[in-house]
Amino acid sequence: MTTMTTLTGPVLVLIDHHAGAVRPPTLELLTLARAAGDVTALWFGDGLDGALPLLAEYGVTSAYQVVIDSPVANAMHLPAVAAEAVAAAVRQSDAALVLLTSTFENKEIGVLLAREIDAGIVVDANGVTVVADGAVETNQSAFAGTWSVRTQITTPRAVVAIKPNSIPAEPAPLSAAPGVVTVTVTPSEDALRTRIVERNERVATGRPELAEAQVVIAGGRGTNGDFSAIEELADLLGAAVGATRVATDEGWIEHTAQIGQTGVTVAPKLYIGVGLSGAVHHTGGMQSSGTIVAVNGDPEAPIFEIADFGIVGDLFTVLPQLSAELRARLG
Amino acid sequence: MRIVVCVKHVPDLQSERAFDAEGRVVRVGGEGTLNELDENALQVAADLVAEQGGEVIAVTVGPAAAADAVRRAFQRGADRGVHVVDDAIAGSDVFGTAVCLAAAIRRLGAEARVDLVLTGMAALDGLTSMLPAALAAELGLPQLTLAARLTLADGVATVRRDLDNATETLTAPLPAVISVTDQINEPAFPSSLGIMAARKKTVEAWSLADLSVDPTAVGAAGARTRVVEATPRPPREHRVLIADDGDAGRRLAEYLIENKLV
C-alpha cells in the first residue's frame, strides 16, 4: 500500500486585500499553499485584474472572483455571506484545503465555512503540511507561546487560518497569469439576517499594520501618555506602534493599538516593549515574537522574564539614545 | 428578557498551563477560574435584566470541575445555571461543544422563549473565538460577534465592533447570539449579597441523554481535529539583562545591529 502525501484537490487561498493592495500575510499563505498543492486564489470584490501579476509571481494557477448577487449593502463583508461564497468556491473547485489569514473576521468566516463543508478547522496556526494519506497537519503555539502543538485534521476537507509573520513569503513565478473564473453567489436569507448598517474602513497611518509588522514597539503605563520617543523610533525602523490595555483605556492611543489576549496578537521579528510590566493579558499577545526587548524602571517587572534583551532604566533616556545611535550607524 | 450566557471554566492565566498525554488542556479544579470575558457577558445580561426584567441563565459544558464557572456566574447575578456534563463530551472540538450548548439552549427555549444568547468573545485558554459563530449556526440564529457596544430596541440588537481594518455597526433581529469584548463594560465585583445568594442556588446537571444528543457526534469521537503532539517550548536562551548606567541605548543599538534585527 502506498501512502500519498498529496491532497485530493487544489488549495484555495482567500486573498485579503485592502485599498486595492494584497495584504502581505496573504503572500505567506500562497507560499505555504504551493508546498501543499495546486493553488487557486479566491478574491472578493473588485480589483482582481490589478493583482493578477502578483498572484502569478506567487504561483497561483487560477483565480476565483466572487460576486455577491444581493442588493444588501456590504453583503460581502458579512461573515455568514462570505462563508457561503467560499463554500460555493470549494464545491466548484473541489478544493481539499482552504487557507485564510488568522484575523477575527476570517476566523469567523472559517468556522462557518468548515461547518458548511464538513471540514475540520485549525486557527492561529503557524504552519500547515500535508502528511500521509493526504491528511493536513498544522503547527500552532498555545498558552501565550509557551507550548507547541501539532494537530491533524481528520476530515477529507480542511480549513486552516494562519497567523501573520509565520514564514517568509517567497515568490515562485509562473509565466502565465492565472485564469479567472467568476463565481456568482446569491446569499441565503439566513445569512442576511445580520446587516451591516455602517462600515468605516480605517485610514492608513503610513505605518505597517500592527499584526503584520516586522518590528513592533509597544508602550504601557510607564509612558504616562507620552508616545513621542516610541513614535520617533517607530518612524526610524518602519515599525508599528502598539500599546497595553492601560494605555488604550487612558486614551493615550487608539483602542486598535492594544496588543494582548483581547486585542491584536503580534509575532514580529523584533518586539520592543517600554514602560510596560508584562502582565499576562499583554504578553499573551506578543510572546511568540522573534526577539523581545524590554525597557522598564522596575527590575522586578515580569516582562524581563521573557525578554531576550532587558534594560532596567528610564525609557525617556534609553529610547532617544537608541534612536540617535541607530540613525548615526545606519545612516 | 430571557438571556442565556455561555460560560467557561478555564485554567487560571497566572497558573502553569499544560497539555496532557492526549493533547487536552489540563484543567485542575483548584487552578481553574471563570473565563474573564464571560464576566463581561454576565454583566451585560445583569444590566439588561435590571433594566427590563427577566432571567439570566448560565450554561456551561465540561467535566465535573466546570460547574465552578456556573457557580461563579451565580455570584454575578445568574438566576439559574445549567452544566452539560457527560463522559462522552471529553475531547470535543468547537463543533461538538456547539452541539452540546445548542441542545441545552433549545431545551431552555422549549420551556420559554430565549431572547438572547451571550458569550465572551473568546475563551482565554484557546483564544480561537470560533465558538460564538459555530453556536449561532447550530442554533440557526443570526450572530453578532466582537460587540464593543450593544443596544436593544424593538426586538433588534445593534452592535459596534472594531475589526483589523474597519469599524462596523451591525444589526440582527432577536433572538441572536452575541459575543462581547472587554470594551463593552467594566464587570462589577460580586457583592457579598450576591455571594450569599449564590450559595443557595443549585447547578442543574444535564447529560447527553437528557438532551437527546448522539454521544458519537461530540467528544473525541465526533471531533474533526486531533492533537498529535504537544510539547513545552524551551525557555529563551542567551538572555541579557542590564541596568542603564548611561549607555544602555547605545548597547541596545549594538545588539540590534549585531543580530541583524534592524
Side-chain angles (χ1 to χ4, degrees):
Chain A
M1 199 180 97
T2 55
T3 52
M4 300 286 287
T5 53
T6 50
L7 296 170
T8 57
V11 184
L12 194 62
V13 177
L14 180 63
I15 308 293
D16 281 352
H17 54 95
H18 186 59
V22 173
R23 309 291 322 166
T26 307
L27 303 178
E28 298 178 39
L29 260 55
L30 294 174
T31 306
L32 285 166
R34 282 199 316 263
D38 194 39
V39 185
T40 299
L42 185 62
W43 185 282
F44 278 78
D46 300 326
L48 172 59
D49 285 353
L52 287 174
L54 180 66
L55 296 181
E57 194 186 332
Y58 278 83
V60 172
T61 54
S62 62
Y64 280 46
Q65 180 155 32
V66 175
V67 176
I68 304 294
D69 180 20
S70 168
V72 172
N74 290 309
M76 75 172 177
H77 292 295
L78 286 167
V81 171
E84 288 183 353
V86 182
V90 167
R91 292 190 189 103
Q92 195 166 330
S93 63
D94 202 24
L97 170 63
V98 179
L99 295 184
L100 317 89
T101 49
S102 220
T103 62
F104 283 122
E105 275 161 297
N106 283 350
K107 291 201 284 188
E108 190 173 335
I109 293 168
V111 72
L112 294 172
L113 165 70
R115 193 174 179 280
E116 178 96 13
I117 61 172
D118 297 322
I121 179 169
V122 173
V123 299
D124 300 329
N126 299 116
V128 58
T129 47
V130 182
V131 296
D133 301 321
V136 170
E137 269 192 19
T138 62
N139 295 294
Q140 65 269 13
S141 66
F143 299 149
T146 56
W147 283 69
S148 296
V149 181
R150 197 151 57 87
T151 303
Q152 188 169 114
I153 294 175
T154 54
T155 43
R157 281 181 174 144
V159 178
V160 178
I162 304 278
K163 280 191 175 187
N165 289 335
S166 288
I167 60 151
E170 283 163 18
L174 295 175
S175 52
V180 176
V181 179
T182 302
V183 184
T184 303
V185 178
T186 306
S188 70
E189 280 179 28
D190 276 1
L192 291 172
R193 287 176 299 182
T194 300
R195 296 288 172 96
I196 299 174
V197 293
E198 194 179 346
R199 180 179 160 88
N200 294 311
E201 304 223 340
R202 233 179 300 293
V203 181
T205 57
R207 292 214 174 90
E209 290 289 322
L210 190 52
E212 303 171 1
Q214 294 285 307
V215 181
V216 169
I217 308 171
R221 194 190 299 274
T223 63
N224 278 315
D226 181 357
F227 271 64
S228 58
I230 293 173
E231 304 261 346
E232 184 195 359
L233 183 60
D235 287 339
L236 188 66
L237 299 179
V241 175
T244 61
R245 172 131 193 241
V246 172
T248 58
D249 280 358
E250 289 286 345
W252 296 340
I253 186 166
E254 66 277 7
H255 167 64
T256 49
Q258 186 198 325
I259 294 170
Q261 292 181 317
T262 59
V264 180
T265 300
V266 301
K269 190 172 76 168
L270 171 63
Y271 163 96
I272 302 176
V274 302
L276 54 85
S277 64
V280 66
H281 298 89
H282 179 72
T283 56
M286 50 61 68
Q287 206 156 349
S288 302
S289 301
T291 297
I292 297 173
V293 172
V295 182
N296 195 300
D298 176 9
E300 303 295 319
I303 189 75
F304 289 130
E305 291 165 23
I306 58 165
D308 297 288
F309 195 101
I311 296 173
V312 181
D314 180 357
L315 73 97
F316 293 106
T317 57
V318 174
L319 283 198
Q321 190 181 68
L322 170 64
S323 292
E325 183 75 8
L326 288 174
R327 201 173 286 119
R329 294 186 54 176
L330 300 172
Chain B
M1 294 285 299
R2 197 151 174 268
I3 305 171
V4 169
V5 182
C6 301
V7 295
K8 189 175 183 187
H9 181 71
V10 297
D12 193 323
L13 287 180
Q14 310 289 349
S15 71
E16 282 292 316
R17 296 175 290 169
F19 288 89
D20 67 11
E22 275 88 51
R24 292 174 194 162
V25 175
V26 174
R27 297 162 202 270
V28 184
E31 289 186 350
T33 187
L34 174 64
N35 177 43
E36 275 183 32
L37 288 157
D38 300 344
E39 296 176 3
N40 297 93
L42 286 162
Q43 188 68 52
V44 170
D47 291 347
L48 283 170
V49 166
E51 220 173 82
Q52 312 184 4
E55 185 186 22
V56 179
I57 308 163
V59 178
T60 198
V61 176
D68 180 67
V70 177
R71 281 190 284 270
R72 288 176 195 264
F74 285 153
Q75 298 178 355
R76 294 177 175 275
D79 301 290
R80 188 175 162 193
V82 171
H83 178 199
V84 183
V85 56
D86 200 302
D87 289 345
I89 293 172
S92 288
D93 64 5
V94 62
F95 302 108
T97 306
V99 164
C100 295
L101 283 172
I105 293 166
R106 273 197 297 269
R107 176 163 160 178
L108 291 166
E111 296 169 5
R113 178 184 148 103
V114 171
D115 300 291
L116 187 58
V117 178
L118 292 171
T119 72
M121 60 158 277
L124 295 179
D125 53 353
L127 280 174
T128 71
S129 291
M130 290 197 290
L131 186 275
L135 176 61
E138 194 63 39
L139 286 167
L141 296 179
Q143 90 258 9
L144 295 166
T145 58
L146 307 170
R149 298 273 179 282
L150 167 65
T151 51
L152 300 178
D154 305 324
V156 174
T158 303
V159 311
R160 200 206 76 212
R161 66 177 192 161
D162 294 311
L163 300 170
D164 293 346
N165 289 320
T167 296
E168 294 178 341
T169 304
L170 301 104
T171 62
L174 298 183
V177 176
I178 301 178
S179 78
V180 304
T181 73
D182 56 2
Q183 296 294 308
I184 202 159
N185 56 30
E186 198 61 54
F189 283 104
S191 64
S192 46
L193 218 62
I195 292 170
M196 297 277 282
R199 290 200 191 121
K200 298 196 184 100
K201 291 176 185 159
T202 313
V203 180
E204 296 165 55
W206 294 353
S207 70
L208 292 180
D210 293 335
L211 296 172
S212 306
V213 170
D214 173 5
T216 63
V218 301
R224 304 174 191 181
T225 52
R226 177 174 68 85
V227 173
V228 180
E229 191 180 39
T231 45
R233 288 206 174 152
R236 288 168 184 266
E237 289 178 352
H238 311 299
R239 293 169 47 220
V240 180
L241 180 62
I242 60 171
D244 182 19
D245 43 21
D247 66 345
R250 279 187 292 274
R251 288 173 69 183
L252 175 53
E254 179 65 37
Y255 174 86
L256 296 179
I257 292 168
E258 204 172 85
N259 289 284
K260 298 186 168 56
L261 293 165
V262 290

